[in-house]
Amino acid sequence: MYLAIREMRFAKGRYALIATIMVLVAFLVLFVTGLAQGLAYDNAASVKNMTATHFVLEQNSNHRFTRSQLDKNQLDQARLTVGESNAEPLGVKMTTVIPAGDTKKVDVTLFMVNPDGWLSPTVSEGSSISEQQVGQVMVDRKLSESGVQLGSMIEDQASGMQWTVSGFVENESFSHSPVVFLNDQDWLKLQARSSTSSGADNAAESIVYNAIAMKGSSADQIENVVKAMPGTEVITKSEAISAIPGYKEEQGSLVMMIAFLFVISAFVLAVFFYVITIQKTSQFGILKAIGTGTAYLAKSVALQVLVLSVGSLLISVLLVQAFESILPATMPFQLGFSTLVLTCVSFVVMSLAGSLFSVWKVAKIDALDAIGRTAA
């Protein structure tokens, strides 16, 4: 190990150049990873925040809330099967609203929840909606950037319904749009308006949900729900998240970018150290001739890679945290501790894997051939 550290101190310029490249690559890996996590959360924050473990949807809805329709009888059947307190109705509708006194249109997602149920989010400012009050909604904090305040009126462009903002909630978004929460009475009125505006013969007379959220359900209960409710299917929360429009495509592209960055970083490091190893062939040969073991030399190369990769990661983590502090609030970026540790460990492992080429080259060096080339 003494040999590895002494060589790095002697050739400061050479190893500083390698370290700089590794810092840039590690920073890019960490930043893209944080961006991928942030986009994933922003795309499905409202569903991820739910304590639900499963959802009942209409069959052949492709696991999408907006393509499913369920009625009150099916909700009662689900509650009878899994328990009254373990099943909650959920309505989902993507629409456009216009804040009162403004002409700017904002894309939002309407969520119908039971105000007293466990699907209702915690209010960070203002007051929650109630079952008795109509025309009151809770909105995601992002709408404040469009001029929406407590007491503001927002109008649904499609139905013409107006609601008063009673409270703000945090980190509630669906398909990258802020979520507006309303109770079942406003949801029923919205369905009636939509039926009338679309030219239907009769306005909606009974409430229609998009899904039934369930929690704490065993495998037997899930099976009983499917048997008791023909024409429906039960999916997990992860399946519901994956079915959000654009979620899988967006995450697939970002994960591929991260994977390529890992491969590129390992390849760049492998090339650098392989070239350096070739340049030091004669020195390695002399060391072998005087009795230095191959294992010791291989450990020296691996130690240099480990020191450079860990050092560059420490600097990159500090850079990412500094960069995160100046990012605009509109840019979704999340790099949790577990994700950070996993990314750093993966980077170190890929770096050590890239050093195997140099280790292989060191093991192949013949002392007599190396000394002969030096003498020549």
Side-chain angles (χ1 to χ4, degrees), residues 341-352:
V341 171
L342 179 61
T343 305
C344 291
V345 171
S346 301
F347 185 84
V348 172
V349 170
M350 290 296 294
S351 299
L352 291 174

Side-chain angles (χ1 to χ4, degrees), residues 102-314:
D102 199 350
T103 58
K104 183 180 179 181
K105 300 178 181 180
V106 183
D107 292 328
V108 300
T109 302
L110 303 178
F111 268 32
M112 187 286 300
V113 296
N114 177 10
D116 300 323
W118 42 265
L119 283 184
S120 183
T122 303
V123 177
S124 61
E125 183 182 357
S127 59
S128 177
I129 57 176
S130 66
E131 191 66 34
Q132 292 74 30
Q133 291 180 323
V134 295
Q136 300 282 331
V137 293
M138 299 181 297
V139 302
D140 181 66
R141 176 72 66 179
K142 294 187 185 71
L143 280 178
S144 62
E145 299 171 5
S146 301
V148 176
Q149 301 176 353
L150 291 177
S152 297
M153 296 286 294
I154 57 174
E155 179 180 342
D156 178 31
Q157 183 184 21
S159 64
M161 289 188 63
Q162 292 185 336
W163 302 293
T164 301
V165 176
S166 65
F168 283 111
V169 293
E170 304 291 339
N171 301 320
E172 295 290 346
S173 56
F174 182 87
S175 192
H176 295 303
S177 63
V179 171
V180 174
F181 293 88
L182 62 160
N183 61 22
D184 55 357
Q185 295 188 53
D186 283 313
W187 182 257
L188 181 59
K189 289 183 178 181
L190 178 65
Q191 290 178 338
R193 290 280 189 94
S194 300
S195 299
T196 303
S197 62
S198 62
D201 294 335
N202 297 315
E205 297 180 355
S206 61
I207 192 165
V208 176
Y209 310 112
N210 293 100
I212 299 172
M214 301 188 302
K215 67 173 182 177
S217 303
S218 63
D220 292 337
Q221 288 178 320
I222 297 300
E223 186 177 350
N224 291 334
V225 168
V226 175
K227 291 180 180 178
M229 301 170 62
T232 63
E233 61 180 352
V234 179
I235 64 173
T236 62
K237 181 192 286 191
S238 59
E239 289 175 329
I241 292 173
S242 297
I244 295 175
Y247 183 88
K248 289 192 295 185
E249 293 78 7
E250 178 182 85
Q251 289 301 299
S253 300
L254 290 171
V255 169
M256 185 176 295
M257 288 175 59
I258 295 170
F260 273 112
L261 285 173
F262 274 119
V263 174
I264 291 171
S265 63
F267 182 77
V268 169
L269 189 64
V271 170
F272 267 106
F273 272 90
Y274 188 74
V275 171
I276 292 175
T277 302
I278 292 176
Q279 293 175 343
K280 298 187 299 182
T281 299
S282 58
Q283 290 92 325
F284 281 130
I286 294 172
L287 288 172
K288 280 190 174 185
I290 62 176
T292 306
T294 301
Y296 179 84
L297 297 176
K299 288 179 182 178
S300 297
V301 174
L303 179 62
Q304 289 177 346
V305 174
L306 182 63
V307 170
L308 288 174
S309 58
V310 172
S312 62
L313 276 172
L314 291 176

